[in-house]
Amino acid sequence: QTSGDTQNKEGQPQPSLLPVQRSKPIVCIVVGMAGSGKTTLMQRINAHVHAENLPSYILNLDPGASELPYGANIDIRDTVNYKEVMKQYGLGPNGGVLTSLNLFATRFDQVLSLVETRAPTLEHVFVDTPGQIEVFTWSASGTIITEALAMSFPTVLLYVVDTPTSTNPATFMSNMLYSCSMLYKTKLPIIIVFNKIDIVSHEFAIEWMEDVDKLDEALNSDNNYMSSFTRSLGLVLNEFYQNLRTVGVSAMSGAGVVELFEKINEAAKEYEEGYRTDLVKRMKDKEQKAAENKRLELEKLQRDLRETGGRNVVVNPEHIRNRPMDVDGEEE
């Protein structure tokens, strides 16, 4: 079933490319650099939803995970054997993860069907992604999976940041740039999750985001090209920070998890007001473009039929190159 149906000339409804939009569950795609504590955070989230009696679904999309500290309802490892893929195609670790995701994406419609079946009873769907962040965020399979979920359910991105390493301004800015690029690519609401606040508080990061002068002070100790570059990026991203949701959590102690779920609900409302509207527009534009291409192809076919009189025409490239031309450039 589809939404946004239009009517043809006979008044009969024509199906649109847009699927039916459901208000729940909220899909949370969890991404983060290797070592950011993403899997441990997933374990903490799993414990929280069980403790609070929040029916949720968990998808694991990391084929290279040796073991998971939480129970996944759908696990890519049950479908794709990561080591066999590497062996069969002669691939390295990153190539094996990417190819495994590509193979899984070809059957993601079945995964979506399972989630849709359970959707009326679920509050959240959490999607754990590979530690090699670029393999998911910038691959065709990652895009297919993200868009398939976002077209059916309210979807948000959780970008997990390793807070202790981000005390370095250059590392902090690298994380901000990556989150900005993901927001630009997916156009989905994003929440910056500063993890490991039991080791280092994330207050310094909030200060750097809210006051560029604070970041400038942290950079004063270094007077090199990278410091100057980071300072310039801080000024550029200042506007980006204004509408960015942030939360500090500790996957180990559970601090900040309740606030994280509050931010998720806020981001889901933003999805409804922003992304959904943009999605409708993009899909309608796609339908119009497809219809225009079909019309042009039909006109081209009709023109060719008029010129050939319906006869079969065999084109010999050698013959075309050797045919004499008259003074006006026309074939004789």
Side-chain angles (χ1 to χ4, degrees):
Q1 187 180 0
T2 57
S3 63
D5 290 348
T6 58
Q7 289 189 340
N8 58 20
K9 293 180 179 178
E10 288 75 24
Q12 298 299 320
Q14 288 182 318
S16 168
L17 295 176
L18 271 175
V20 171
Q21 180 64 26
R22 297 165 176 81
S23 59
K24 69 175 189 177
I26 301 172
V27 176
C28 303
I29 302 176
V30 185
V31 296
M33 299 289 185
S36 62
K38 181 170 56 63
T39 300
T40 309
L41 178 62
M42 286 291 297
Q43 181 186 21
R44 174 59 61 182
I45 288 173
N46 186 46
H48 179 79
V49 297
H50 280 84
E52 297 297 323
N53 195 27
L54 299 172
S56 301
Y57 228 52
I58 294 183
L59 278 63
N60 173 48
L61 297 184
D62 187 357
S66 56
E67 59 181 59
L68 294 178
Y70 57 86
N73 300 95
I74 298 177
D75 196 333
I76 187 175
R77 299 176 303 170
D78 296 334
T79 305
V80 183
N81 189 319
Y82 166 68
K83 292 185 178 179
E84 283 299 317
V85 168
M86 290 175 60
K87 182 179 178 181
Q88 181 176 346
Y89 295 98
L91 301 170
N94 286 350
V97 171
L98 178 59
T99 303
S100 297
L101 268 177
N102 289 341
L103 293 171
F104 189 73
T106 62
R107 298 185 177 183
F108 198 73
D109 59 321
Q110 299 175 27
V111 175
L112 202 59
S113 178
L114 288 173
V115 176
E116 288 174 342
T117 301
R118 294 290 307 278
T121 63
L122 297 176
E123 294 292 333
H124 302 89
V125 174
F126 292 95
V127 183
D128 192 7
T129 59
Q132 297 89 334
I133 184 171
E134 70 284 349
V135 170
F136 180 81
T137 56
W138 295 103
S139 66
S141 53
T143 301
I144 290 170
I145 291 171
T146 301
E147 291 185 351
L149 291 169
M151 285 195 297
S152 298
F153 306 102
T155 305
V156 301
L157 294 176
L158 304 185
Y159 181 70
V160 185
V161 176
D162 184 352
T163 308
T165 61
S166 294
T167 54
N168 182 314
T171 305
F172 166 79
M173 190 55 63
S174 297
N175 276 301
M176 294 302 102
L177 282 173
Y178 211 102
S179 62
C180 181
S181 68
M182 291 175 59
L183 177 64
Y184 180 77
K185 184 177 187 296
T186 64
K187 299 180 177 63
L188 288 170
I190 187 170
I191 303 171
I192 308 299
V193 183
F194 289 101
N195 194 17
K196 306 181 185 179
I197 61 171
D198 54 313
I199 301 175
V200 175
S201 172
H202 69 298
E203 293 303 321
F204 73 92
I206 301 300
E207 287 184 354
W208 289 354
M209 296 171 70
E210 293 178 349
D211 188 351
V212 70
D213 291 334
K214 295 289 185 180
L215 177 62
D216 191 60
E217 290 175 9
L219 291 167
N220 283 339
S221 57
D222 295 324
N223 191 21
N224 52 33
Y225 167 74
M226 279 306 300
S227 297
S228 177
F229 182 57
T230 302
R231 188 176 289 107
S232 299
L233 287 175
L235 292 170
V236 171
L237 294 181
N238 190 48
E239 185 68 23
F240 166 68
Y241 296 148
Q242 303 304 315
N243 299 310
L244 199 61
R245 291 181 178 83
T246 60
V247 61
V249 302
S250 170
M252 292 299 293
S253 69
V257 173
V258 173
E259 186 181 354
L260 171 61
F261 275 77
E262 292 174 356
K263 297 288 185 180
I264 289 172
N265 290 332
E266 292 176 9
K269 292 180 182 178
E270 180 187 334
Y271 167 93
E272 297 288 354
E273 297 169 0
Y275 181 86
R276 176 64 180 170
T277 303
D278 181 64
L279 175 64
V280 170
K281 181 179 181 301
R282 283 188 285 136
M283 295 300 286
K284 285 183 177 179
D285 290 344
K286 185 176 181 179
E287 288 178 335
Q288 291 174 358
K289 186 176 180 181
E292 179 65 14
N293 289 338
K294 184 177 180 180
R295 184 185 66 79
L296 292 175
E297 288 295 328
L298 181 59
E299 289 181 356
K300 181 180 177 182
L301 175 61
Q302 292 173 340
R303 184 170 61 252
D304 291 344
L305 287 173
R306 286 195 300 270
E307 292 176 355
T308 62
R311 299 186 305 274
N312 291 331
V313 178
V314 180
V315 179
N316 186 334
E318 193 68 29
H319 174 68
I320 293 175
R321 282 197 296 268
N322 295 330
R323 290 187 68 175
M325 312 290 285
D326 63 18
V327 291
D328 296 323
E330 298 290 336
E331 292 180 354
E332 293 181 355

